[in-house]
Amino acid sequence: MSPAGEHEVRPLMLSRVAQAGLWLVVGVGIVAALLDGAGARSWVPAVAVVVIAASGVLAVRAYRVGATYGPDGIEVRGYFRTRRIQRNQVTQVTDFPAVRWKDTNGKPRWTPISAFSGSSGQLRMIERHNAVCLALLQLWDEERHQKPTRTPRRTRRR
């Protein structure tokens, strides 16, 4: 469960399962190709173990892609890394989709949000879901830039 005030956006389950499965199939395919042409090479089992482990890690990461945003900032979970960006460092959530931000030295950076990037031939329901998730992130970004409204002071009744 996310801490209070944090929200999570993720691709549809169908999309996450398909992407995770793809990494597993790629890993098994590479290992099968290695074993098929291996002969008596002693390095093949070690490479096969590394490929299977890497495809397993990438499958889990593909399943967990997404973003969590809240009062403290945003965390973007991609296929290869997770980045946490403090709220005051974020400058914009773009349509790319990506987060533009500045590091502690003021140097401009950007982090792609690969979970919601589209491709041609993508199912319309996935495209719509990704657009809604990106819109939620952009709304969070816009609300961050708005000045807080002052609440009137309470006066004591006599």
Side-chain angles (χ1 to χ4, degrees):
M1 193 77 187
S2 297
E6 288 196 348
H7 305 280
E8 185 175 41
V9 286
R10 297 170 74 177
L12 289 173
M13 177 69 76
L14 170 69
S15 180
R16 291 185 290 136
V17 168
Q19 291 177 28
L22 177 65
W23 283 111
L24 292 175
V25 168
V26 167
V28 169
I30 291 172
V31 168
L34 278 171
L35 295 176
D36 185 43
R41 297 183 190 127
S42 61
W43 54 267
V44 171
V47 171
V49 168
V50 170
V51 167
I52 290 295
S55 68
V57 167
L58 288 170
V60 169
R61 290 202 59 88
Y63 183 79
R64 298 194 69 231
V65 296
T68 304
Y69 61 97
D72 295 334
I74 186 169
E75 177 183 270
V76 178
R77 289 179 311 282
Y79 298 104
F80 301 107
R81 71 177 299 174
T82 297
R83 179 170 304 272
R84 289 175 187 84
I85 307 165
Q86 295 298 316
R87 179 182 177 171
N88 62 344
Q89 293 178 307
V90 176
T91 57
Q92 181 186 17
V93 176
T94 70
D95 289 333
F96 180 68
V99 179
R100 289 185 188 269
W101 57 284
K102 291 190 177 187
D103 65 14
T104 54
N105 297 325
K107 184 176 178 182
R109 305 277 188 182
W110 73 284
T111 299
I113 309 171
S114 54
F116 306 119
S117 59
S119 62
S120 61
Q122 189 174 45
L123 294 175
R124 200 168 293 218
M125 67 181 199
I126 293 173
E127 190 177 296
R128 281 193 305 262
H129 177 80
N130 289 351
V132 167
C133 290
L134 181 58
L136 288 170
L137 291 170
Q138 290 174 327
L139 180 62
W140 168 79
D141 182 45
E142 290 170 13
E143 289 174 350
R144 272 183 341 92
H145 296 294
Q146 293 176 356
K147 292 184 178 179
T149 57
R150 268 187 73 179
T151 54
R153 288 187 181 178
R154 292 186 187 186
T155 57
R156 293 177 95 185
R157 291 186 182 187
R158 295 181 181 203

